[in-house]
Short mmCIF file of all heavy atoms in Angstrom, two decimals:
data_model
loop_
_atom_site.label_atom_id
_atom_site.label_comp_id
_atom_site.label_asym_id
_atom_site.label_seq_id
_atom_site.Cartn_x
_atom_site.Cartn_y
_atom_site.Cartn_z
N SER A 61 -116.80 41.69 -156.51
CA SER A 61 -116.51 42.44 -155.40
C SER A 61 -115.16 41.99 -154.78
O SER A 61 -114.35 42.75 -154.35
CB SER A 61 -117.54 42.42 -154.35
OG SER A 61 -117.88 41.13 -153.89
N LYS A 62 -115.00 40.66 -154.76
CA LYS A 62 -113.75 40.15 -154.24
C LYS A 62 -112.58 40.30 -155.17
O LYS A 62 -111.52 40.66 -154.69
CB LYS A 62 -113.89 38.54 -154.05
CG LYS A 62 -114.77 38.24 -152.75
CD LYS A 62 -114.80 36.85 -152.49
CE LYS A 62 -115.70 36.60 -151.20
NZ LYS A 62 -115.60 35.35 -150.65
N LEU A 63 -112.89 40.30 -156.43
CA LEU A 63 -111.81 40.70 -157.52
C LEU A 63 -111.34 42.16 -157.23
O LEU A 63 -110.20 42.37 -157.11
CB LEU A 63 -112.28 40.51 -158.86
CG LEU A 63 -111.23 40.97 -159.90
CD1 LEU A 63 -109.85 40.26 -159.77
CD2 LEU A 63 -111.77 40.75 -161.31
N ALA A 64 -112.31 43.12 -157.07
CA ALA A 64 -111.93 44.43 -156.77
C ALA A 64 -111.16 44.52 -155.49
O ALA A 64 -110.17 45.35 -155.43
CB ALA A 64 -113.28 45.30 -156.72
N TYR A 65 -111.55 43.84 -154.47
CA TYR A 65 -110.84 43.89 -153.18
C TYR A 65 -109.43 43.45 -153.33
O TYR A 65 -108.47 44.09 -152.91
CB TYR A 65 -111.62 43.01 -152.20
CG TYR A 65 -110.91 43.06 -150.81
CD1 TYR A 65 -111.37 43.92 -149.85
CD2 TYR A 65 -110.03 42.12 -150.48
CE1 TYR A 65 -110.92 43.90 -148.61
CE2 TYR A 65 -109.43 42.12 -149.21
CZ TYR A 65 -109.84 42.97 -148.26
OH TYR A 65 -109.32 42.97 -146.99
N VAL A 66 -109.25 42.31 -154.06
CA VAL A 66 -107.90 41.76 -154.15
C VAL A 66 -107.08 42.68 -155.10
O VAL A 66 -105.84 42.84 -154.92
CB VAL A 66 -107.98 40.32 -154.73
CG1 VAL A 66 -106.62 39.79 -155.05
CG2 VAL A 66 -108.64 39.38 -153.59
N LEU A 67 -107.66 43.32 -156.12
CA LEU A 67 -106.89 44.25 -156.96
C LEU A 67 -106.33 45.42 -156.18
O LEU A 67 -105.20 45.83 -156.40
CB LEU A 67 -107.80 44.67 -158.11
CG LEU A 67 -108.04 43.63 -159.24
CD1 LEU A 67 -109.25 44.06 -160.14
CD2 LEU A 67 -106.83 43.48 -160.09
N VAL A 68 -107.25 46.01 -155.37
CA VAL A 68 -106.85 47.16 -154.49
C VAL A 68 -105.73 46.67 -153.53
O VAL A 68 -104.65 47.30 -153.33
CB VAL A 68 -107.95 47.74 -153.79
CG1 VAL A 68 -107.47 48.73 -152.74
CG2 VAL A 68 -108.91 48.33 -154.67
N GLU A 69 -105.84 45.57 -153.01
CA GLU A 69 -104.80 45.00 -152.13
C GLU A 69 -103.57 44.78 -152.84
O GLU A 69 -102.39 45.10 -152.32
CB GLU A 69 -105.32 43.72 -151.46
CG GLU A 69 -104.46 43.20 -150.37
CD GLU A 69 -105.03 41.91 -149.70
OE1 GLU A 69 -105.08 40.89 -150.41
OE2 GLU A 69 -105.40 42.02 -148.60
N ALA A 70 -103.57 44.20 -154.09
CA ALA A 70 -102.43 43.98 -154.84
C ALA A 70 -101.73 45.24 -155.24
O ALA A 70 -100.50 45.24 -155.32
CB ALA A 70 -102.78 43.11 -156.09
N SER A 71 -102.44 46.35 -155.44
CA SER A 71 -101.89 47.65 -155.74
C SER A 71 -100.85 48.20 -154.67
O SER A 71 -100.09 48.97 -154.85
CB SER A 71 -102.78 48.67 -156.11
OG SER A 71 -103.57 49.09 -154.95
N ALA A 72 -101.11 47.71 -153.46
CA ALA A 72 -100.34 48.10 -152.30
C ALA A 72 -99.24 47.15 -151.88
O ALA A 72 -98.49 47.31 -150.93
CB ALA A 72 -101.32 48.31 -150.98
N SER A 73 -99.11 46.10 -152.75
CA SER A 73 -98.04 45.03 -152.50
C SER A 73 -96.66 45.61 -152.69
O SER A 73 -96.34 46.38 -153.61
CB SER A 73 -98.39 43.88 -153.53
OG SER A 73 -97.20 43.01 -153.54
N PRO A 74 -95.78 45.10 -151.89
CA PRO A 74 -94.32 45.41 -152.11
C PRO A 74 -93.88 45.01 -153.52
O PRO A 74 -92.93 45.69 -153.93
CB PRO A 74 -93.56 44.61 -150.97
CG PRO A 74 -94.60 44.26 -149.97
CD PRO A 74 -95.89 44.24 -150.77
N LEU A 75 -94.37 44.03 -154.16
CA LEU A 75 -94.03 43.59 -155.45
C LEU A 75 -94.20 44.61 -156.46
O LEU A 75 -93.50 44.64 -157.52
CB LEU A 75 -94.84 42.33 -155.92
CG LEU A 75 -94.58 41.13 -155.04
CD1 LEU A 75 -95.60 40.00 -155.41
CD2 LEU A 75 -93.11 40.70 -155.01
N VAL A 76 -95.07 45.66 -156.29
CA VAL A 76 -95.34 46.72 -157.22
C VAL A 76 -94.93 48.06 -156.67
O VAL A 76 -95.32 49.11 -157.35
CB VAL A 76 -96.76 46.68 -157.76
CG1 VAL A 76 -97.02 45.46 -158.65
CG2 VAL A 76 -97.80 46.87 -156.71
N ARG A 77 -94.25 48.14 -155.65
CA ARG A 77 -93.88 49.29 -154.92
C ARG A 77 -93.14 50.44 -155.83
O ARG A 77 -93.44 51.53 -155.84
CB ARG A 77 -92.99 49.10 -153.77
CG ARG A 77 -92.54 50.34 -152.94
CD ARG A 77 -91.79 50.12 -151.77
NE ARG A 77 -92.51 49.29 -150.80
CZ ARG A 77 -92.15 48.26 -150.09
NH1 ARG A 77 -91.00 47.77 -150.27
NH2 ARG A 77 -92.95 47.70 -149.29
N GLU A 78 -92.19 49.86 -156.72
CA GLU A 78 -91.49 50.71 -157.66
C GLU A 78 -92.16 50.74 -159.02
O GLU A 78 -91.47 51.06 -159.97
CB GLU A 78 -90.07 50.14 -157.60
CG GLU A 78 -89.44 50.13 -156.37
CD GLU A 78 -89.25 51.46 -155.70
OE1 GLU A 78 -89.04 52.43 -156.45
OE2 GLU A 78 -89.46 51.60 -154.35
N LEU A 79 -93.33 50.29 -159.24
CA LEU A 79 -93.92 50.19 -160.55
C LEU A 79 -95.30 50.99 -160.49
O LEU A 79 -96.38 50.36 -160.50
CB LEU A 79 -94.19 48.73 -160.87
CG LEU A 79 -92.95 47.85 -160.88
CD1 LEU A 79 -93.49 46.37 -161.05
CD2 LEU A 79 -92.10 48.18 -161.99
N PRO A 80 -95.23 52.34 -160.53
CA PRO A 80 -96.43 53.14 -160.47
C PRO A 80 -97.50 52.84 -161.54
O PRO A 80 -98.65 52.85 -161.31
CB PRO A 80 -95.98 54.60 -160.56
CG PRO A 80 -94.51 54.53 -161.03
CD PRO A 80 -94.03 53.21 -160.66
N GLU A 81 -96.96 52.44 -162.85
CA GLU A 81 -97.86 52.19 -163.85
C GLU A 81 -98.67 50.94 -163.50
O GLU A 81 -99.84 50.87 -163.92
CB GLU A 81 -97.13 52.05 -165.21
CG GLU A 81 -96.20 53.21 -165.58
CD GLU A 81 -94.92 53.07 -164.88
OE1 GLU A 81 -94.43 52.04 -164.58
OE2 GLU A 81 -94.30 54.17 -164.76
N ARG A 82 -98.01 49.94 -163.03
CA ARG A 82 -98.63 48.69 -162.61
C ARG A 82 -99.71 48.90 -161.52
O ARG A 82 -100.79 48.37 -161.53
CB ARG A 82 -97.67 47.62 -162.27
CG ARG A 82 -98.23 46.29 -161.97
CD ARG A 82 -98.74 45.68 -163.23
NE ARG A 82 -99.30 44.43 -162.85
CZ ARG A 82 -100.54 44.02 -163.27
NH1 ARG A 82 -101.16 44.63 -164.13
NH2 ARG A 82 -101.03 42.82 -162.89
N ARG A 83 -99.27 49.73 -160.56
CA ARG A 83 -100.26 49.97 -159.44
C ARG A 83 -101.54 50.66 -160.00
O ARG A 83 -102.65 50.29 -159.66
CB ARG A 83 -99.62 50.88 -158.44
CG ARG A 83 -98.53 50.17 -157.62
CD ARG A 83 -98.23 51.02 -156.37
NE ARG A 83 -97.82 52.39 -156.71
CZ ARG A 83 -96.58 52.94 -156.95
NH1 ARG A 83 -95.55 52.00 -156.92
NH2 ARG A 83 -96.38 54.24 -157.15
N LEU A 84 -101.30 51.65 -160.86
CA LEU A 84 -102.43 52.30 -161.45
C LEU A 84 -103.34 51.49 -162.27
O LEU A 84 -104.54 51.49 -162.36
CB LEU A 84 -102.04 53.53 -162.24
CG LEU A 84 -103.03 54.52 -162.65
CD1 LEU A 84 -103.93 55.07 -161.50
CD2 LEU A 84 -102.42 55.79 -163.34
N ALA A 85 -102.68 50.60 -163.01
CA ALA A 85 -103.46 49.51 -163.87
C ALA A 85 -104.28 48.65 -163.01
O ALA A 85 -105.44 48.34 -163.36
CB ALA A 85 -102.51 48.72 -164.72
N LEU A 86 -103.68 48.17 -161.87
CA LEU A 86 -104.46 47.37 -161.00
C LEU A 86 -105.73 48.13 -160.42
O LEU A 86 -106.78 47.58 -160.38
CB LEU A 86 -103.62 46.84 -159.81
CG LEU A 86 -102.57 45.85 -160.24
CD1 LEU A 86 -101.51 45.65 -159.08
CD2 LEU A 86 -103.18 44.45 -160.52
N LEU A 87 -105.46 49.35 -160.12
CA LEU A 87 -106.56 50.20 -159.56
C LEU A 87 -107.56 50.60 -160.58
O LEU A 87 -108.82 50.54 -160.32
CB LEU A 87 -106.03 51.53 -158.81
CG LEU A 87 -105.16 51.13 -157.57
CD1 LEU A 87 -104.38 52.47 -157.07
CD2 LEU A 87 -106.00 50.51 -156.46
N ASP A 88 -107.19 50.80 -161.79
CA ASP A 88 -108.09 51.08 -162.84
C ASP A 88 -109.02 49.80 -163.13
O ASP A 88 -110.18 49.92 -163.30
CB ASP A 88 -107.35 51.37 -164.13
CG ASP A 88 -106.70 52.79 -164.16
OD1 ASP A 88 -107.20 53.67 -163.36
OD2 ASP A 88 -105.89 53.03 -165.00
N GLU A 89 -108.37 48.72 -163.08
CA GLU A 89 -109.13 47.52 -163.18
C GLU A 89 -110.13 47.30 -162.11
O GLU A 89 -111.37 46.90 -162.31
CB GLU A 89 -108.24 46.27 -163.27
CG GLU A 89 -108.91 44.91 -163.58
CD GLU A 89 -107.98 43.71 -163.62
OE1 GLU A 89 -106.71 43.92 -163.62
OE2 GLU A 89 -108.45 42.57 -163.64
N ALA A 90 -109.73 47.58 -160.82
CA ALA A 90 -110.59 47.44 -159.66
C ALA A 90 -111.82 48.42 -159.78
O ALA A 90 -112.95 47.93 -159.50
CB ALA A 90 -109.73 47.85 -158.43
N VAL A 91 -111.46 49.56 -160.30
CA VAL A 91 -112.59 50.59 -160.49
C VAL A 91 -113.56 49.98 -161.50
O VAL A 91 -114.84 50.05 -161.33
CB VAL A 91 -112.08 51.96 -160.96
CG1 VAL A 91 -113.25 52.86 -161.35
CG2 VAL A 91 -111.35 52.63 -159.72
N GLU A 92 -113.04 49.51 -162.64
CA GLU A 92 -114.01 48.96 -163.75
C GLU A 92 -114.75 47.75 -163.29
O GLU A 92 -115.94 47.66 -163.58
CB GLU A 92 -113.14 48.56 -164.92
CG GLU A 92 -112.57 49.84 -165.63
CD GLU A 92 -113.62 50.98 -166.03
OE1 GLU A 92 -114.74 50.53 -166.50
OE2 GLU A 92 -113.39 52.00 -165.63
N VAL A 93 -114.14 46.92 -162.52
CA VAL A 93 -114.79 45.71 -162.04
C VAL A 93 -115.93 46.21 -161.05
O VAL A 93 -117.11 45.66 -161.12
CB VAL A 93 -113.81 44.80 -161.29
CG1 VAL A 93 -114.57 43.59 -160.49
CG2 VAL A 93 -112.86 44.08 -162.36
N ALA A 94 -115.65 47.00 -160.16
CA ALA A 94 -116.68 47.55 -159.20
C ALA A 94 -117.85 48.21 -159.94
O ALA A 94 -118.97 48.08 -159.57
CB ALA A 94 -116.01 48.47 -158.12
N LYS A 95 -117.46 49.10 -160.91
CA LYS A 95 -118.52 49.79 -161.73
C LYS A 95 -119.45 48.79 -162.39
O LYS A 95 -120.60 49.09 -162.58
CB LYS A 95 -117.94 50.71 -162.73
CG LYS A 95 -117.40 51.97 -162.19
CD LYS A 95 -116.86 52.85 -163.34
CE LYS A 95 -116.32 54.19 -162.74
NZ LYS A 95 -115.85 54.98 -163.96
N ALA A 96 -118.89 47.66 -162.84
CA ALA A 96 -119.62 46.59 -163.54
C ALA A 96 -120.63 45.84 -162.76
O ALA A 96 -121.52 45.19 -163.24
CB ALA A 96 -118.68 45.69 -164.37
N LEU A 97 -120.43 45.89 -161.33
CA LEU A 97 -121.39 45.21 -160.54
C LEU A 97 -122.72 45.89 -160.61
O LEU A 97 -122.89 47.07 -160.81
CB LEU A 97 -120.94 45.26 -159.03
CG LEU A 97 -119.60 44.52 -158.76
CD1 LEU A 97 -119.17 44.77 -157.36
CD2 LEU A 97 -119.84 43.00 -159.01
N GLY A 98 -123.80 45.09 -160.44
CA GLY A 98 -125.13 45.56 -160.55
C GLY A 98 -125.40 46.46 -159.38
O GLY A 98 -124.79 46.32 -158.23
N THR A 99 -126.24 47.50 -159.66
CA THR A 99 -126.59 48.42 -158.62
C THR A 99 -127.31 47.76 -157.35
O THR A 99 -127.25 48.31 -156.32
CB THR A 99 -127.51 49.62 -159.14
OG1 THR A 99 -128.68 48.97 -159.72
CG2 THR A 99 -126.72 50.36 -160.16
N SER A 100 -127.83 46.62 -157.61
CA SER A 100 -128.48 45.81 -156.44
C SER A 100 -127.53 44.99 -155.65
O SER A 100 -127.80 44.48 -154.62
CB SER A 100 -129.59 44.94 -157.06
OG SER A 100 -129.10 43.97 -157.90
N ASN A 101 -126.25 44.93 -156.20
CA ASN A 101 -125.17 44.22 -155.45
C ASN A 101 -124.88 44.92 -154.15
O ASN A 101 -124.46 46.05 -154.12
CB ASN A 101 -123.96 44.00 -156.31
CG ASN A 101 -122.96 43.12 -155.74
OD1 ASN A 101 -122.42 43.29 -154.59
ND2 ASN A 101 -122.46 42.13 -156.49
N PRO A 102 -124.93 44.23 -153.08
CA PRO A 102 -124.82 44.84 -151.72
C PRO A 102 -123.32 45.36 -151.53
O PRO A 102 -123.09 46.24 -150.55
CB PRO A 102 -125.18 43.86 -150.71
CG PRO A 102 -125.03 42.53 -151.48
CD PRO A 102 -125.32 42.80 -152.84
N TYR A 103 -122.40 44.90 -152.30
CA TYR A 103 -120.99 45.32 -152.08
C TYR A 103 -120.56 46.39 -153.09
O TYR A 103 -119.33 46.70 -152.95
CB TYR A 103 -120.08 44.18 -152.12
CG TYR A 103 -120.53 42.97 -151.18
CD1 TYR A 103 -120.84 41.75 -151.66
CD2 TYR A 103 -120.61 43.28 -149.81
CE1 TYR A 103 -121.29 40.72 -150.75
CE2 TYR A 103 -121.03 42.27 -148.87
CZ TYR A 103 -121.34 41.06 -149.41
OH TYR A 103 -121.81 40.08 -148.64
#
Side-chain angles (χ1 to χ4, degrees):
S61 60
K62 289 188 179 189
L63 175 57
Y65 182 91
V66 172
L67 285 163
V68 171
E69 188 175 70
S71 75
S73 166
L75 297 173
V76 294
R77 181 176 294 135
E78 303 299 323
L79 304 169
E81 305 84 23
R82 182 69 182 133
R83 288 193 309 268
L84 191 55
L86 290 165
L87 293 171
D88 286 343
E89 183 181 354
V91 168
E92 291 308 311
V93 168
K95 281 182 179 180
L97 293 171
T99 56
S100 63
N101 187 305
Y103 307 120

